[in-house]
Amino acid sequence: MEYYVHLLSKLVFYIGHKNWYYPMRTLKWDPLFDPDEETTIVIAWISFPSLPPNLFGKETVFSLAAAVGKPLQVDMATWNKTRPSCARVKLEVDLLREFPKRINIGVRNKNTGEIKEKWIKINYYYMPKYCKNCKL
């Protein structure tokens, strides 16, 4: 999984051969691949600002991120819990989907059993643009 995330996170690799360098891109395999169309599946970062400390576990952050796409990894500060201001996660997203600005979760009070709703804001970083007409 680590290699998969690393390869898809790079925009371009250069392969050297006899003093020539050739650009290479790695894409997620798609049985309907068309070289004239750009893929809609990309790797992006999102963050959850002001996330309560009890929700900073990897499984919890992945569960929240699943509302946007397929979670791949949390950043080191989230993993080590050294940045209490927000949790960041790298995920695989489809640019044709709508991206929510926030998600609603229910948090159960241990003492009373009462469930309180809480809205969690989502910030998006470096989200590529995609044109549905020209497919680029």
Side-chain angles (χ1 to χ4, degrees):
M1 184 60 145
E2 184 179 332
Y3 290 121
Y4 172 78
V5 172
H6 177 72
L7 286 172
L8 285 183
S9 297
K10 295 281 187 182
L11 293 177
V12 177
F13 288 94
Y14 290 94
I15 308 296
H17 179 68
K18 296 184 180 179
N19 295 328
W20 289 85
Y21 290 91
Y22 304 93
M24 180 186 86
R25 289 182 54 208
T26 53
L27 305 170
K28 184 175 180 177
W29 183 80
D30 181 359
L32 302 175
F33 175 75
D34 182 348
D36 295 327
E37 296 180 3
E38 193 69 34
T39 181
T40 62
I41 305 297
V42 297
I43 303 295
W45 283 98
I46 63 170
S47 71
F48 302 104
S50 305
L51 191 66
N54 59 322
L55 300 179
F56 259 71
K58 178 182 174 185
E59 294 80 16
T60 306
V61 173
F62 270 29
S63 179
L64 294 171
V68 178
K70 179 184 174 188
L72 300 173
Q73 72 183 58
V74 294
D75 71 343
M76 288 305 290
T78 301
W79 179 262
N80 295 327
K81 297 174 180 65
T82 56
R83 183 188 52 238
S85 60
C86 74
R88 285 181 38 142
V89 61
K90 184 184 282 189
L91 65 161
E92 187 178 286
V93 296
D94 187 346
L95 295 174
L96 297 178
R97 289 186 51 190
E98 293 292 324
F99 298 116
K101 292 180 180 14
R102 60 188 185 147
I103 55 176
N104 192 4
I105 65 169
V107 180
R108 183 183 305 272
N109 185 320
K110 283 185 181 179
N111 300 328
T112 64
E114 176 187 355
I115 296 176
K116 289 179 107 179
E117 288 188 358
K118 180 165 181 62
W119 285 97
I120 306 293
K121 183 180 176 192
I122 304 171
N123 289 338
Y124 295 88
Y125 298 96
Y126 311 111
M127 198 62 79
K129 303 279 189 244
Y130 185 80
C131 177
K132 293 178 185 177
N133 295 323
C134 66
K135 310 251 192 232
L136 296 174

